[in-house]
Amino acid sequence: AKSKMEETQPIDVFYHKLIDWLLERKWIKKDFREKSDEIRVLIGEAIKDMPDNEEVTKMLGYSYITYYHSKRIIEILKHTEADTKSFWGSYSSQRMKDWQHIVRLYETDNTFLGESVRMLEHNMNYEVPVAKKRILGLQTRLADSEKKEASLKTSASNMNLKFHQVCKEMGIKGEDIGAELIQLKSQLPAELQAIGDIIQNSKCKEAIAYYLAFLEFTLDKGSTSSEQKGSPEDYLKLLQYVVSNGNQSVYKYETGEELPPEDTKDESNVDSAGGIDFGDDGANGGIDFGDGDTDGIDFGDNSGGIDFGDDGGGIDFGDG
């Protein structure tokens, strides 16, 4: 007689030879496949009438209901069908009877062992290699994604640094760009005044005189007409005006008069959403091109076609 230790000692059997090993030791019979297929038919009928239970619903979502699922379903039915249990311990519920019958068929001649081994072989031969290949592909994608993430983080950091650098150069904080850019125009008069002062106090006047002398010399050589020569005041008008008058408005430059005072208006054109209001308050927000009610362009061809001038219907090549 074998000792208890020998009976519980594990043995190594290749999974693809496990069916033969069970058949040789008469643990299962040769027709276990046919019996398993018959049980599959019964399971297909039994799952049509199941109780409303979360765990049962989850199991029914599996592609293959096994012997072990069937035993778990019976345990659940003991609670859902408890009111159908008789004094002798049997159940009048057809659901319970169906699944108990399925489990008995599985256990007859250890059919569930043959089915389990067959599923093991299928998983090892097909499902596991596919899963390994998929895992390898996902690992590659993960590595590529991590590299891309690191690259994007670096780019984002560089762009953020560049953004703050540009904001610093422009003299804004960068918190509310639209409003801050509009506020910058309050600094424009001082900037223009400084530029005008620099032009007035620099040697710009001497450079202008030199340039005008050069023009007068070259024009005297190249033309004899006084109208073509022009006077020195005709050249570099704006620059000469700034040298003489400093920072002035364009209106005064063109008219000689002071700029009339403008009405006090809200200088902020920034809308509540933080964008710039371009004043397109039209009904449809589009541009009116003045095309009235016409849908197309009138090319003047009342006949609806293009007149190519070919009265004779052909091309005259002049060959008589």
Side-chain angles (χ1 to χ4, degrees):
K2 294 182 179 180
S3 64
K4 186 175 182 180
M5 181 177 294
E6 290 176 338
E7 291 178 352
T8 58
Q9 187 71 24
I11 58 175
D12 294 329
V13 181
F14 290 108
Y15 72 90
H16 58 277
K17 294 183 178 181
L18 194 52
I19 290 288
D20 295 334
W21 189 88
L22 291 173
L23 287 172
E24 288 176 1
R25 286 155 181 79
K26 301 187 184 301
W27 280 95
I28 59 176
K29 291 187 176 181
K30 293 182 180 181
D31 62 347
F32 77 92
R33 292 182 178 85
E34 290 78 7
K35 290 183 178 180
S36 178
D37 293 338
E38 293 174 1
I39 296 173
R40 305 306 316 160
V41 175
L42 295 176
I43 290 176
E45 293 295 328
I47 61 176
K48 295 179 181 179
D49 180 26
M50 296 297 292
D52 186 12
N53 181 274
E54 183 178 354
E55 187 176 356
V56 170
T57 303
K58 184 178 180 181
M59 282 191 289
L60 293 179
Y62 298 152
S63 59
Y64 204 93
I65 303 295
T66 66
Y67 163 75
Y68 305 99
H69 293 136
S70 301
K71 292 192 69 175
R72 179 56 189 162
I73 289 174
I74 289 178
E75 294 298 321
I76 296 173
L77 291 177
K78 288 181 180 179
H79 298 282
T80 61
E81 310 297 314
D83 56 344
T84 65
K85 186 177 182 181
S86 67
F87 176 78
W88 307 103
S90 60
Y91 291 85
S92 60
S93 169
Q94 188 60 42
R95 293 173 180 169
M96 179 65 82
K97 290 179 180 179
D98 291 341
W99 286 103
Q100 286 177 337
H101 179 58
I102 289 170
V103 170
R104 282 196 298 269
L105 291 177
Y106 261 131
E107 293 175 348
T108 301
D109 298 326
N110 294 322
T111 302
F112 73 94
L113 281 178
E115 184 183 77
S116 299
V117 172
R118 189 168 60 169
M119 291 182 62
L120 176 64
E121 289 183 356
H122 173 81
N123 291 337
M124 293 299 296
N125 290 331
Y126 301 103
E127 302 297 335
V128 172
V130 170
K132 286 183 177 180
K133 187 176 180 180
R134 185 178 180 186
I135 290 173
L136 182 61
L138 292 175
Q139 287 176 340
T140 303
R141 290 177 58 185
L142 178 61
D144 294 340
S145 298
E146 289 176 347
K147 291 180 181 178
K148 188 173 182 180
E149 180 186 9
S151 176
L152 292 174
K153 284 183 177 179
T154 302
S155 299
S157 178
N158 293 336
M159 293 302 297
N160 186 51
L161 183 63
K162 186 175 181 180
F163 169 76
H164 287 291
Q165 183 178 355
V166 172
C167 288
K168 185 178 181 180
E169 293 174 357
M170 297 180 66
I172 62 177
K173 296 180 179 180
E175 297 174 355
D176 188 354
I177 298 176
E180 291 173 5
L181 288 177
I182 290 176
Q183 290 176 359
L184 281 180
K185 84 173 185 178
S186 62
Q187 304 174 10
L188 188 59
E191 293 288 338
L192 294 176
Q193 184 64 42
I195 294 172
D197 294 342
I198 292 174
I199 293 176
Q200 279 190 300
N201 300 328
S202 65
K203 295 183 178 181
C204 208
K205 190 172 184 179
E206 298 177 7
I208 292 173
Y210 180 84
Y211 178 71
L212 293 177
F214 171 77
L215 285 179
E216 184 177 4
F217 173 78
T218 55
L219 291 176
D220 283 342
K221 294 290 184 180
S223 176
T224 57
S225 173
S226 59
E227 293 182 357
Q228 292 181 356
K229 292 180 184 179
S231 63
E233 291 77 11
D234 295 334
Y235 304 99
L236 304 177
K237 289 183 178 182
L238 181 58
L239 186 57
Q240 292 189 70
Y241 182 85
V242 174
V243 169
S244 302
N245 301 278
N247 179 33
Q248 299 293 335
S249 66
V250 176
Y251 182 84
K252 185 175 182 180
Y253 167 71
E254 293 180 346
T255 64
E257 301 177 0
E258 293 293 337
L259 183 68
E262 57 179 315
D263 296 336
T264 303
K265 297 180 180 179
D266 182 11
E267 297 182 351
S268 177
N269 290 327
V270 181
D271 59 18
S272 59
I276 299 177
D277 180 10
F278 293 95
D280 51 348
D281 295 329
N284 56 3
I287 301 175
D288 182 10
F289 292 95
D291 51 359
D293 297 331
T294 59
D295 294 331
I297 302 175
D298 183 10
F299 292 95
D301 49 349
N302 299 328
S303 61
I306 301 176
D307 183 10
F308 293 94
D310 51 349
D311 297 331
I315 301 175
D316 184 7
F317 294 92
D319 50 359

